[in-house]
Structure formats: structure tokens, C-alpha cells
Amino acid sequence: MLVGDRKMDININEHFDFERLNVLLEAFNQATGFVTAILDLDGNVLSKSGWRKVCTDFHRVNKETAKNCNKSDTVLANMMSNGEDYSTYKCLNGLIDVVVPIVIKGEHVANLFTGQFLFEEPSIDFFKKQAVQYNFDEHLYLSAVKKVPVVSETKVKDTMRVLVYIIDMISDLKVEKIEQQKLNSLLEVSYKKIKNQKNRLNFILEGTNAATWEWNIQTAKTFYNEQWAEMLGYNLKELQPTTEDTWKKMIHPKDLERTEKELEKHFKGEIEQYDVEIRMKHKEGHWIWINGRGRVISWTKQNEPLKMFGIQLDITEKKEKEEKLKYENNFQKTLAKISSDLLGINSANIDRKINRALEKVGKFFNVERSYIIQLSEENKFLSNTNEWCKKGIKSKKENFQNIPTSFFTWSFKKLTQNQQINIEDVNEMPKKAGAEQGQLKALGIKSLVIIPIFIENSLFGFFVFNTVKNKRKFSNEEIRLLKIFTDTITNAFSKHLDYKRIRELNYKDRLTGLYNRRFFEEELERLDTKRQLPISIILADINGLKIINDSLGHKKGDQLLKKAADILEEAIRKED
């Protein structure tokens, strides 16, 4: 709708309940005698009450006088569009009309008309002429004219003032109702949005298995959801009433100080939010990994933290995967170092390198001793040949030399069958292992793992990894990794023995086991330096060997050579 150059944004029908308004205006007419009408700015009648017979039966019926009515309405409407507050006008049909604007929210939307009255006694001659002019029944027409009330202009103004007040009040009530409906509509939309957001948040929390918590820092009171309690093996009722001590007492002692430091940083504004990975104790006694995140959302007037909200996630599986990956990486690095170190093994460095390998394995598995027990050539005795001990742990190498294998029938049987032995608690060993149990107790061992060493399908010895301070359960995965380490060391052992065997074939006499002429000549060349001089050489000869061979046979001659070799080995130091 356009008024002049201005577009109408307000729909008057939305601001008035015309059914109720008509009832009110009709009652107003009956009480005061004033007729009323409300017209929109296009001249459409929206409401009317108590119109005079002279208008309804004559002026508004006849085409010519009806045009006069419309012209009068237009003139009055134009007066309002020019900004007039109140206008009176003598219509072309001889009656007085009054109009006031109806303004809603500062916008002129319609006009309130009253009239069909006179300010003075009617001129009968004027209305007689009009009856003749428009072909009205003079008697009926003049009778209707005489019923038109004569009122003072002051009374009209007072009456209009009351009428406008009533109209404004009804409009205001309607506006308030509309505004309330709009507000209710907005509230409903907002409520639905909040509800949807809450549902989405609940779905997110449920989907991520997240627990929520609230903390009043000033009162120490805390509030948790059911998921928070379930994460730690409880139901929420078991933990009531909850305070900050509820979660602090569950935090691992080594993580509590770090947790409090991170909170303090957040309270001071050094970090935007609290975000830590800590261990918390489950109701069943084990530790689970937790990622706690939160933020202070309100502060006191003294700028101290008041309320803090956050979530809690169970990241145990993630941490276990990280630890496993880290463990496997360390394992690969340690294995690579041991393999590289054992490449150059020889008679001069074998003990040093094997001991170094035992140290790396022992530190990786966090044991207190790792050592190798070798069998004698006849498999009758056991001896500790190589050992590594953690700092502060005494060596027991000298206590385990030339021990008869017959003492350990239970373990020796298992080892010869290439079985590993995993003992978590020495005190819980089977009765058949009584001898082994006594020996292990004497050595102060609490837990151990024994892995056999097989070279060329024969039991060569075994690896031992033990603890003396605390009991230790070695998992199947740890045993598997231990076997990889021990296989690496066993391969190095095997290669060294092969090399030693080949060397002995090249440099030792097969009959006597003494070094041969080839070895002697190479040693002379090696020792022929100023640093080695002077050198003493003892020469020994067997007289009559040819006579014995010729008279008694070569077998007896060989026996003589072996006997002579035994005498030399007994008389001369091993290093000579």
C-alpha cells in the first residue's frame, strides 16, 4: 500500500480485532449517539456503527449523492495525509464529518470518521432543494434530516478524544498481543535450536564416549555426568557428594603435581585451556589413561576463577598403542645395535661383546641380571660364563661354576626339549623343581626366564634373565622378543665356534691337539718386532720315535706323542 511516496509496511488488519471493535463502536454509538467508521487509506470501510438513515437510505444509495460522499471522504483523508491532527468538513450533502488519523508505531495507517450531524439547526430549504434535485421522497427525506443531531464543536472534540483513546488502547493491546506472539514464536524457535544443539552435543558426547564435569573453584563443589563415573568403574551415586577431592584422590601420585601446575597456568591466563593426559585409578584397581580438558567460563569480581567446565576422555587404548609403538621402535634399535656389535666377534673380544649384548637386553627388559650358562663338553657340568648385573646388584658368577647337571633334573629335562622356563615366583615352583628352587633362593632370585641355546641341534647352554628385588611376570610377547635377542646372540656364538673350529683345524695337530708348524711360523712372524724382543723358545724332541714305529707299530708311536703332548700341557702355562 502506498501513501504519497511512502510504502506502508504495517497491515492494519493485524493490529485490530474488527469483530470486537465493531461491538465496541456500536455500544459507543448507542451510549453517545455518535456514528463511527474506520476507513483505510484507500477509502475502504473497515468498520462502521450507527449510521444515520439520511445517509444509509438516501445519500449513500443515490449515485450522485454517493459520489458526493466519496468526494467528502477523500477530502478528509487528504487532510490527514497532510499531517493534520483533527479535521472537520461539511460534506457536499450538507452534513458535518470529522476525521482523526489512526497512527500505529508512528505510521498513519487509517482514519477514524464520525459525523452525520450538524453544528446548528438544519436549513430546511437546502434539504428540500436537495430532495427535488436527487428525486428523494421529500417527506421521508426531511423526516430523516430532522433526526440528525445538532451538537457543539466542543462536544465533538471531547467525544473524538475519548474515541481515539479507546481506539489507541485497543490497537496497543493488539500490538502487544502481536509482539507477544512474535516473541513466543522467537522463543519457540530459540528453544528448538537450543534443544537441537543440546541433542547434537549429547550425541557428540555419546559418540566420543566423553564424560563431562563442572567445578565451582571457590566452593570446591563438582558435578559429573554418569559417563564420568562409569569411565572409572563407578555409578554416580557411589561418588556422592562430589568435590574436587573426588577426582584428585583418583589421580596417579606422579601426575597430580603436573595436573595442579597446568590448572594454575590456566587460572593465571598463561594457557587458553586446561589440557592434560593423566592416569586415574579405576574402581577395580588398575590405572586408566585420561585426557582432561576444560576452561574457566566465569570469574569473581576479584578476577578469581569461579566456574570451570570440561570433558574427560578415556585414552587408555591410544596410550597403549603409543607405548607399544615406542616399545617396538626401541626393540628394533636395540636389536640393530646388538647385531652390529656382534659382527666383528673373535676370540679376543667375544666375552666383552657378549657381556655388552647381555647388558643391552637386560636394560631393555628392565631385569637385574642377565647371564649365559654353558654346558661342559660332556654335558655334566654347568658354569656361568658371561654375566651383566644392574647397578647395585651383586654378581653371582663365581657362585655358579662347575655345578653338576644332575642337580637340576627338572629344568635340564625341559631345556633339552627346547622349552623355555618362565617362573614368576620362585616360591611357587613345583615340588619336582625342589633342587632348582633351593639354588635360586640361595642366589636371592625372585623371578626368572630361562631360554635354551641350541647349536647344531645340541643343547649348548641357556640364557637366564632374573629379578632379585621384586617379582616379575614376563608376558608371552616379552618371551617372544627375548627369543629374538637370544637367537641373535646364539647365531654370533655359533659363527664364532665355527670360526674357532676352522682355525683349530688349520693351526692344530689333529693327533695331539698342539699348535702345528704353520701356527708356529705365523706366530714367529707376528712376534718379530722390537716390542716383543727378546723371545725365548724351548725345543723338545722325542728320541727313538722311529724305532718305536718300526718295532711296535704307528699306533704305539701315536700313543707316545699324545702322552708327550699331555705332559707339555700340564707343565706349561696355557698362555704359553
Side-chain angles (χ1 to χ4, degrees):
M1 182 187 298
L2 292 173
V3 179
D5 295 330
R6 186 162 52 87
K7 184 178 179 181
M8 293 290 295
D9 294 323
I10 295 177
N11 184 351
I12 190 171
N13 291 301
E14 293 180 354
H15 290 73
F16 287 103
D17 182 347
F18 282 103
E19 287 186 11
R20 296 179 68 183
L21 184 60
N22 287 338
V23 172
L24 180 64
L25 292 178
E26 192 65 39
F28 182 81
N29 169 252
Q30 292 176 5
T32 65
F34 278 78
V35 300
T36 59
I38 296 176
L39 277 68
D40 65 21
L41 300 185
D42 289 332
N44 298 310
V45 177
L46 303 176
S47 175
K48 64 178 182 176
S49 66
W51 280 23
R52 313 291 180 199
K53 242 184 164 186
V54 70
C55 290
T56 58
D57 292 353
F58 295 97
H59 296 164
R60 293 282 176 176
V61 175
N62 182 273
K63 289 182 180 180
E64 294 298 321
T65 55
K67 285 181 182 179
N68 291 337
C69 292
N70 290 334
K71 287 179 182 179
S72 299
D73 292 342
T74 302
V75 170
L76 283 171
N78 288 336
M79 290 178 179
M80 293 300 97
S81 66
N82 291 330
E84 299 292 335
D85 293 333
Y86 171 94
S87 294
T88 60
Y89 177 73
K90 187 173 184 180
C91 76
L92 298 176
N93 293 320
L95 302 180
I96 301 298
D97 286 329
V98 180
V99 64
V100 292
I102 296 176
V103 178
I104 297 175
K105 294 182 179 179
E107 192 168 331
H108 180 197
V109 296
N111 294 309
L112 172 63
F113 289 86
T114 188
Q116 301 176 10
F117 55 75
L118 296 168
F119 284 146
E120 56 188 16
E121 291 297 327
S123 171
I124 298 301
D125 290 340
F126 172 82
F127 288 106
K128 280 183 179 181
K129 289 179 183 179
Q130 202 156 256
V132 174
Q133 184 180 353
Y134 299 116
N135 200 27
F136 294 149
D137 182 301
E138 183 176 309
H139 175 71
L140 294 176
Y141 180 59
L142 291 176
S143 177
V145 169
K146 290 177 181 178
K147 291 180 181 179
V148 174
V150 177
V151 295
S152 69
E153 191 169 350
T154 302
K155 184 178 180 181
V156 170
K157 286 183 179 180
D158 292 340
T159 303
M160 291 302 294
R161 209 174 281 119
V162 172
L163 191 57
V164 169
Y165 176 78
I166 293 172
I167 297 292
D168 286 345
M169 183 177 65
I170 293 173
S171 174
D172 288 344
L173 288 173
K174 183 67 175 180
V175 168
E176 287 178 8
K177 184 177 179 181
I178 292 170
E179 294 297 332
Q180 187 63 47
Q181 288 174 340
K182 288 181 179 179
L183 180 60
N184 290 341
S185 179
L186 289 173
L187 287 173
E188 187 176 353
V189 170
S190 298
Y191 172 75
K192 286 180 179 178
K193 285 183 179 179
I194 292 170
K195 187 177 180 180
N196 290 336
Q197 289 174 347
K198 185 179 179 181
N199 288 338
R200 284 198 296 271
L201 179 60
N202 287 335
F203 290 145
I204 291 169
L205 292 174
E206 186 177 341
T208 57
N209 202 30
T212 62
W213 50 267
E214 303 172 30
W215 179 22
N216 186 316
I217 298 120
Q218 299 303 315
T219 65
K221 287 184 178 180
T222 54
F223 302 91
Y224 308 107
N225 67 351
E226 193 67 44
Q227 185 63 34
W228 192 94
E230 289 176 1
M231 192 175 287
L232 294 158
Y234 298 89
N235 63 63
L236 202 52
K237 288 183 179 179
E238 291 180 84
L239 301 175
Q240 299 293 350
T242 57
T243 67
E244 63 182 66
D245 288 336
T246 304
W247 63 274
K248 281 189 177 181
K249 69 182 181 183
M250 295 182 185
I251 298 175
H252 194 287
K254 291 183 178 179
D255 296 335
L256 181 57
E257 184 179 352
R258 180 165 55 87
T259 300
E260 291 179 334
K261 284 183 178 179
E262 289 300 304
L263 284 169
E264 192 62 30
K265 284 182 184 178
H266 178 54
F267 294 161
K268 291 180 178 178
E270 295 175 11
I271 54 177
E272 189 173 348
Q273 71 172 16
Y274 162 77
D275 188 346
V276 294
E277 293 183 355
I278 57 174
R279 290 160 290 179
M280 294 186 73
K281 197 166 190 177
H282 195 275
K283 183 181 179 180
E284 295 177 358
H286 60 276
W287 296 97
I288 64 171
W289 277 97
I290 293 296
N291 177 208
R293 299 179 185 180
R295 181 177 295 179
V296 175
I297 53 90
S298 62
W299 304 79
T300 66
K301 292 180 179 179
Q302 293 74 34
N303 204 31
E304 292 180 350
L306 178 59
K307 288 188 177 181
M308 187 172 180
F309 289 75
I311 63 169
Q312 186 165 290
L313 297 169
D314 185 343
I315 58 169
T316 304
E317 187 177 348
K318 170 179 169 284
K319 295 297 286 188
E320 286 175 350
K321 287 180 180 178
E322 288 177 357
E323 287 300 315
K324 185 178 180 181
L325 183 61
K326 183 179 177 181
Y327 186 79
E328 288 175 353
N329 287 338
N330 288 339
F331 168 76
Q332 294 295 339
K333 288 179 181 179
T334 305
L335 182 62
K337 288 179 182 178
I338 290 174
S339 300
S340 176
D341 198 31
L342 292 175
L343 285 175
I345 199 169
N346 55 49
S347 298
N349 63 22
I350 183 169
D351 285 334
R352 185 176 72 255
K353 292 203 170 191
I354 292 296
N355 289 343
R356 201 151 58 204
L358 290 173
E359 177 184 0
K360 285 183 172 63
V361 176
K363 286 182 176 179
F364 182 83
F365 288 100
N366 195 29
V367 296
E368 287 150 348
R369 282 200 199 100
S370 56
Y371 46 96
I372 295 173
I373 303 295
Q374 285 190 33
L375 284 164
S376 63
E377 291 183 7
E378 305 83 11
N379 287 354
K380 291 183 179 180
F381 299 97
L382 298 167
S383 295
N384 185 333
T385 58
N386 299 86
E387 181 185 56
W388 168 81
C389 296
K390 192 175 182 178
K391 188 176 181 180
I393 303 299
K394 290 183 179 181
S395 170
K396 297 292 183 180
K397 185 177 180 180
E398 297 303 321
N399 300 76
F400 206 94
Q401 298 295 325
N402 297 316
I403 307 296
T405 55
S406 58
F407 283 8
F408 309 118
T409 54
W410 175 79
S411 57
F412 198 69
K413 182 180 179 181
K414 285 182 174 291
L415 294 169
T416 54
Q417 293 173 353
N418 200 16
Q419 295 180 26
Q420 292 109 13
I421 298 173
N422 185 3
I423 300 171
E424 181 182 354
D425 186 354
V426 167
N427 294 318
E428 300 296 326
M429 291 177 70
K431 291 181 180 180
K432 292 180 181 180
E436 287 88 342
Q437 186 182 52
Q439 182 70 29
L440 293 172
K441 283 185 175 182
L443 294 171
I445 295 172
K446 286 188 166 53
S447 305
L448 78 159
V449 170
I450 305 174
I451 298 176
I453 302 171
F454 273 79
I455 295 177
E456 294 180 354
N457 298 320
S458 295
L459 184 65
F460 176 81
F462 45 88
F463 293 92
V464 183
F465 304 92
N466 67 42
T467 61
V468 296
K469 289 185 176 181
N470 300 296
K471 288 183 289 186
R472 163 83 176 275
K473 180 177 176 61
F474 290 86
S475 67
N476 291 335
E477 177 63 13
E478 287 177 314
I479 298 292
R480 185 185 72 82
L481 296 179
L482 266 174
K483 190 71 170 57
I484 294 173
F485 278 129
T486 57
D487 285 349
T488 303
I489 299 172
T490 299
N491 289 337
F493 245 129
S494 181
K495 289 177 182 178
H496 172 67
L497 292 175
D498 289 342
Y499 172 78
K500 189 176 180 182
R501 207 172 286 123
I502 293 169
R503 180 179 173 84
E504 286 180 353
L505 290 173
N506 287 332
Y507 293 111
K508 283 193 174 183
D509 180 72
R510 293 185 182 183
L511 178 63
T512 62
L514 298 176
Y515 287 111
N516 59 20
R517 185 181 186 86
R518 182 178 179 183
F519 178 81
F520 176 69
E521 289 175 348
E522 287 187 9
E523 278 296 289
L524 275 179
E525 185 176 349
R526 185 179 70 82
L527 296 170
D528 188 14
T529 62
K530 288 182 179 181
R531 192 169 67 84
Q532 300 291 348
L533 297 177
I535 298 174
S536 298
I537 300 174
I538 300 174
L539 297 175
D541 192 15
I542 300 175
N543 293 326
L545 179 62
K546 187 175 185 309
I547 296 172
I548 293 172
N549 284 333
D550 291 343
S551 60
L552 299 176
H554 284 281
K555 188 174 183 180
K556 289 294 181 181
D558 289 346
Q559 289 178 357
L560 177 61
L561 288 172
K562 286 181 180 180
K563 186 64 177 176
D566 290 342
I567 293 170
L568 282 171
E569 285 187 333
E570 289 177 6
I572 300 173
R573 296 176 304 174
K574 191 173 183 179
E575 59 267 26
D576 292 331

